[in-house]
């Protein structure tokens, strides 16, 4: 790997300066697995039809705008800078750096970035990807939506998460999801009969193949038409796309603006996003609330850092600490959402995964084909990954093993303070 000149906090650091600063900033490309199968010889092609299949994943996932209709969120006029401590030496051990290198070599990683506070610990890109590219977060979009919901609750358009969705979106009155509490929607506990799987035993082919990824996609009608009930709301965690799609319509109603405009003015600019982001829209020009949000890897990390800092940046509370606590933890009363109960490993908060670490509060955003942002607030530690893999179990195990090692190493050092 080779050090390169990097535009860092609006200053250009040469290879020598990077080495002196102890920053783990590497050549933006490494030898990635299965480059041929992923489309390297064809320049990583894109296709609107073969959306999530090889050899189109790399191109599609890092340039959603070229194959899908999207809306833009403008960046902040004052981006949040990444810094390093004066006289700092490389904060990561040689062993951990070797694990990071091995992880990139074994799995289909397009980008990997570690951040502690405003200090960039590690950054690199595979498959010829570059820092300025926007990476599709898939279901990490849900956590963006959960944060926007908190902003709407904090500022008043939404009175209570115990209200039915139809109170704010009357067009959903009389439907299963419209007659569900916002809290149950946020916690994926609506009671709807829906199976989040592909193939004949699941519903994803119908949801995506027949609606969300078609030229006639219509999120409102999709939600209105899905009314089969499995059980009462609030009884069981059942991850699916209808809950966030419903919340999307509620937010559009209460804010009287597109989600992108609300997100740009109340989240993206205030948190100091360095680059523009995009959000995929349906044929009715409505943002698809369950997926479709794309951002640079650095801005995904900035968003993670905002959550790590309980919604505060630069002396301003963008989303309340109270909301962030509810969003990223599980209360005793919500036993069905506890880690190792909701799923075999993790729990669930408000459109956010809650991890089963006993020593620290850890939570994450996750997306299809191993998009991840993992966050430990006590250490202000964020690990962001974008990828195009088929989600083998060893991929996730490797990533969380690295995160556990990061926490262990950094817990022995002072946590960087910052805005």
């Amino acid at each position: 790997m080779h050090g390169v000149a990097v535009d860092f906090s609006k200053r250009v650091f040469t290879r020598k300066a990077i080495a002196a600063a102890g920053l783990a900033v590497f050549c933006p490309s490494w030898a990635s697995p299965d480059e041929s199968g992923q489309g390297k010889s064809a320049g990583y092609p894109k296709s609107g039809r073969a959306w999530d299949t090889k050899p189109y994943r790399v191109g599609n996932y890092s340039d959603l705008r070229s194959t899908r209709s999207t809306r833009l969120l403008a960046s902040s006029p004052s981006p949040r800078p990444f810094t390093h401590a004066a006289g700092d030496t490389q904060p990561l051990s040689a062993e951990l750096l070797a694990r990071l290198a091995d992880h990139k070599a074994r799995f289909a990683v397009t980008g990997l970035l570690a951040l502690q506070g405003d200090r960039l610990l590690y950054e690199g890109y595979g498959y010829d990807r570059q820092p300025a590219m926007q990476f599709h977060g898939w279901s990490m979009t849900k956590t963006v939506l959960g944060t926007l919901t908190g902003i709407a609750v904090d500022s008043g358009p939404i009175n209570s998460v115990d209200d039915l969705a139809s109170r704010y979106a009357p067009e959903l009155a009389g439907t299963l999801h419209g007659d569900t509490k916002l809290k149950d929607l946020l916690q994926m506990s609506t009671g709807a009969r829906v199976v989040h799987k592909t193939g004949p035993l699941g519903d994803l082919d119908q949801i995506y193949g027949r609606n969300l990824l078609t030229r006639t996609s219509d999120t409102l009608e999709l939600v209105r038409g899905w009314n089969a009930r499995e059980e009462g709301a609030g009884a069981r965690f059942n991850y699916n796309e209808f809950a966030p799609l419903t919340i999307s319509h509620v937010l559009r109603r209460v804010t009287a603006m597109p989600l992108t405009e609300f997100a740009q003015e109340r989240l993206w600019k205030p948190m100091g996003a360095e680059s523009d982001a995009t959000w995929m829209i349906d044929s009715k020009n409505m943002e698809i609330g369950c997926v479709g949000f794309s951002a640079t890897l650095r801005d995904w990390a900035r968003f993670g850092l905002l959550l790590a800092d309980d919604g505060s940046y630069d002396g301003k509370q963008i989303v309340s600490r109270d909301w962030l606590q509810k969003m990223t933890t599980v209360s005793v009363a919500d036993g069905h959402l506890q880690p190792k109960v909701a799923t075999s490993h993790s729990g669930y908060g408000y459109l956010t995964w809650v991890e089963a670490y006993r020593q620290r509060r850890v939570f994450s955003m996750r997306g299809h084909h191993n998009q991840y942002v993992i966050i430990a607030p006590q250490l202000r530690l964020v690990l962001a990954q974008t990828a195009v893999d088929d989600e083998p179990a060893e991929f996730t195990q490797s990533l969380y093993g690295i995160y556990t090692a990061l926490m262990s190493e950094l817990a022995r050092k002072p946590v960087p303070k910052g805005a």
Side-chain angles (χ1 to χ4, degrees):
M1 296 179 182
H2 306 285
V4 295
V6 177
D7 181 5
F8 190 71
S9 300
K10 302 306 179 183
R11 294 171 292 171
V12 176
F13 281 72
T14 64
R15 178 177 179 176
K16 181 178 180 180
I18 289 170
L23 296 172
V25 181
F26 295 99
C27 177
S29 184
W30 57 74
S32 301
D34 191 26
E35 289 180 334
S36 176
Q38 295 286 2
K40 183 178 178 66
S41 62
Y44 298 110
K46 303 159 193 173
S47 171
R49 293 183 178 180
W51 173 241
D52 66 346
T53 59
K54 297 178 183 179
Y56 302 106
R57 287 178 191 166
V58 173
N60 284 345
Y61 290 11
S62 56
D63 190 10
L64 186 79
R65 295 168 291 183
S66 67
T67 60
R68 297 286 163 187
S69 297
T70 62
R71 273 208 183 98
L72 181 141
L73 294 78
S75 60
S76 171
S78 303
R80 181 172 195 163
F82 292 154
T83 61
H84 66 278
D88 196 17
T89 58
Q90 169 57 262
L92 304 182
S93 68
E95 179 184 3
L96 186 48
L97 290 172
R99 288 184 67 173
L100 286 160
D102 178 68
H103 180 77
K104 295 180 306 185
R106 291 172 57 202
F107 303 111
V109 177
T110 52
L112 189 63
L113 187 153
L115 190 68
Q116 188 181 33
D118 293 318
R119 183 176 62 177
L120 184 64
L121 303 176
Y122 190 93
E123 181 181 23
Y125 299 86
Y127 301 103
D128 300 330
R129 302 302 90 187
Q130 300 294 328
M133 290 180 172
Q134 293 181 357
F135 294 92
H136 182 204
W138 282 100
S139 285
M140 295 201 299
T141 303
K142 294 177 174 68
T143 303
V144 175
L145 188 71
T147 305
L148 294 176
T149 305
I151 294 171
V153 171
D154 293 338
S155 57
I158 294 177
N159 181 58
S160 170
V161 295
D162 290 322
D163 290 337
L164 300 181
S166 57
R167 171 175 175 176
Y168 304 101
E171 65 272 23
L172 294 175
T175 69
L176 184 152
H177 294 90
D179 293 341
T180 299
K181 291 180 180 179
L182 295 176
K183 181 179 180 181
D184 293 326
L185 292 164
L186 290 162
Q187 294 178 333
M188 296 284 191
S189 304
T190 64
R193 184 180 302 159
V194 53
V195 179
H196 192 78
K197 294 180 180 179
T198 57
L201 299 180
D203 296 311
L204 287 180
D205 294 336
Q206 180 176 348
I207 294 168
Y208 281 96
R210 300 181 190 177
N211 193 306
L212 295 183
L213 295 180
T214 69
R215 294 179 181 273
T216 57
S217 56
D218 189 329
T219 58
L220 179 58
E221 287 309 305
L222 181 63
V223 171
R224 285 173 55 85
W226 202 281
N227 293 296
R229 181 172 289 282
E230 184 75 22
E231 61 216 339
R236 181 175 66 93
F237 174 74
N238 184 23
Y239 186 91
N240 68 83
E241 310 295 55
F242 293 99
L245 289 175
T246 304
I247 292 169
S248 301
H249 289 289
V250 168
L251 287 178
R252 270 187 287 270
R253 277 290 197 168
V254 300
T255 62
M257 64 179 70
L259 284 179
T260 42
E261 184 178 339
F262 183 58
Q264 173 182 281
E265 299 307 317
R266 301 298 299 274
L267 174 63
W268 208 240
K269 285 185 175 181
M271 79 172 200
E274 178 183 30
S275 303
D276 296 343
T278 55
W279 203 327
M280 186 164 63
I281 57 175
D282 67 11
S283 67
K284 308 298 183 182
N285 295 319
M286 294 184 179
E287 296 85 354
I288 298 176
C290 54
V291 296
F293 196 92
S294 294
T296 66
L297 186 63
R298 292 174 185 176
D299 280 339
W300 277 118
R302 282 183 175 90
F303 176 53
L305 185 57
L306 175 71
L307 303 188
D309 290 339
D310 284 332
S312 176
Y313 170 59
D314 197 24
K316 299 177 182 178
Q317 198 71 40
I318 296 171
V319 58
S320 70
R321 178 184 176 87
D322 178 67
W323 181 265
L324 259 297
Q325 288 287 328
K326 292 175 180 176
M327 183 173 158
T328 61
T329 59
V330 182
S331 70
V332 175
D334 293 320
H336 66 293
L337 299 173
Q338 293 290 339
K340 301 185 180 182
V341 177
T343 73
S344 59
H345 296 286
S346 304
Y348 208 71
Y350 287 176
L351 298 179
T352 306
W353 294 95
V354 177
E355 307 297 352
Y357 283 89
R358 294 183 178 179
Q359 300 301 317
R360 289 184 175 85
R361 172 180 161 220
V362 180
F363 53 91
S364 66
M365 304 178 258
R366 303 179 190 174
H368 185 45
H369 286 153
N370 281 295
Q371 323 310 317
Y372 273 93
V373 178
I374 311 174
I375 302 153
Q378 287 173 288
L379 294 173
R380 304 187 73 214
L381 178 63
V382 177
L383 181 63
Q385 173 184 276
T386 55
V388 290
D389 217 310
D390 288 314
E391 304 185 23
E394 57 268 28
F395 193 162
T396 304
Q397 292 167 0
S398 174
L399 184 69
Y400 275 90
I402 288 169
Y403 196 77
T404 300
L406 276 167
M407 287 197 295
S408 179
E409 283 197 6
L410 296 172
R412 298 191 291 269
K413 302 175 182 179
V415 177
K417 303 300 180 183

